[in-house]
Each structure stands twice: as C-alpha cells, then as structure tokens.
Amino acid sequence: HPERSFIMIKPDGVQRQLIGEIISRFERRGYKLVAAKLMTPSVQLAKQHYAEHDGKPFFEPLVKFLTSGPVFAMVWEGKDIVATGRKMIGKTKPLDSEPGTIRGDFGIDVGRNLIHGSDSVDSANREIKLWFHAEDLNSWKPVT
Ligand code: CMP
C-alpha cells in the first residue's frame, strides 16, 4: 500500500470541534482515510506513544493532557503523507506555525497544539501498530 501516517486530533481539538475541519483538509488534499476512532487513551498508551519524550520536563503534563479526554485517532494514506501531513499540521512552536497550517490557523499554545502527525515513516509504522489493530486498517480504491 502507499505511504501511511498516524494523525491524531488531541483532546483540545476534539473539544474545540475541529474534527470535521481537520478531516476536510486531508480529504481535499487528496489523502485517503484508512482508519479512525474516537477514544480516551490510557496512561500506558500515551506514555508509549510519547516514549521519545520520557524524561523531558513536559512529559508528565503531556501524558496527563492526552489522557484527559477523547482523541480522534486516524490513519491517512497517500503519496508522501508523512512529510506532507507534517506541513499541513504546522510547526510545534506557535511562532513558527505558519498561517494556512492547522496549528497556524487554530492555535497559539505549544502544549495545546490540536494535532499530532508522525515525524517519519518509521514512527508512522510504530504508531499505527500502537494505536490500531491490523484488521481495522481499510485499504480502498475508487471503483473504476
Ligand atoms: P508534538 O509535536 O505532537 O509532540 C510532542 C508534544 O509535546 C508537542 O506536540 C507538544 O504538544 C508537547 N509539548 C508541550 N510542551 C512542549 C515544549 N515545551 N516543547 C515541545 N513540545 C512540547
């Protein structure tokens, strides 16, 4: 299958009712949704997801925030989805997140930054496995 990325709307994005807006951006760009679920992550899952940040000063608050309410976890598929997805999301630092990006259009807070996107194809594969069962990934092609 073509490249896939794990894209997750964080609790602030769900609470601000940006799920539809965000899905729309990926759909209009031409990417395909292959899996999605609304769920409240466990502390264990959040810690595994953010394992690379373990030990950083923002790690505990980050895990607390991610587990505070439902997130909308998704897998998107298509050409260069990992890198393009990161561009569409925008930079972590609010001052660097350009208008036109999701963070640049909707956020000003480094912690409450609405959305996560895998930073490499390897991270994407790891994160997709962590959040989804293989049988819940739906590959599809338009009927011709
Ligand atoms: P993300 O880029 O998805 O992954 C790491 C997350 O840590 C980041 O989004 C932020 O939501 C969060 N975070 C909180 N505080 C900081 C900080 N000071 N620097 C970087 N990331 C932070």
Side-chain angles (χ1 to χ4, degrees), residues 30 72 90 107 120 122 135 144:
F72 195 68
S120 67
D122 284 348
E135 64 265 29
T144 50

Side-chain angles (χ1 to χ4, degrees), residues 8 10 49-50 52-53 56-59 61-62 65 86 89-93 103 109-117:
M8 171 174 58
K10 299 183 187 182
H49 175 75
Y50 281 126
E52 65 167 300
H53 298 298
K56 292 183 185 166
F58 58 83
F59 182 70
L62 180 58
F65 167 56
R86 296 279 289 188
I89 287 168
K91 297 275 196 273
T92 305
K93 268 178 72 180
R103 289 172 176 166
D109 190 309
V110 72
R112 304 283 186 269
N113 66 0
L114 302 164
I115 183 165
H116 164 86

Side-chain angles (χ1 to χ4, degrees), residues 79-136:
K79 190 173 158 47
D80 294 326
I81 178 61
V82 170
T84 311
R86 296 279 289 188
K87 281 212 169 170
M88 292 168 68
I89 287 168
K91 297 275 196 273
T92 305
K93 268 178 72 180
L95 204 52
D96 297 335
S97 56
E98 301 287 347
T101 65
I102 293 163
R103 289 172 176 166
D105 286 348
F106 299 112
I108 51 166
D109 190 309
V110 72
R112 304 283 186 269
N113 66 0
L114 302 164
I115 183 165
H116 164 86
S118 306
D119 64 4
S120 67
V121 172
D122 284 348
S123 307
N125 291 334
R126 184 187 78 87
E127 292 167 3
I128 290 167
K129 253 194 237 153
L130 193 58
W131 289 84
F132 286 95
H133 298 293
E135 64 265 29
D136 294 329

Side-chain angles (χ1 to χ4, degrees), residues 4 22 25-26 30 34 38 40 62 66 69 72 76 89-90 94 100 120:
R4 289 175 172 172
I22 290 168
R25 289 183 179 218
F26 283 90
V34 303
L38 188 73
T40 303
L62 180 58
L66 201 77
F72 195 68
W76 286 89
I89 287 168
S120 67

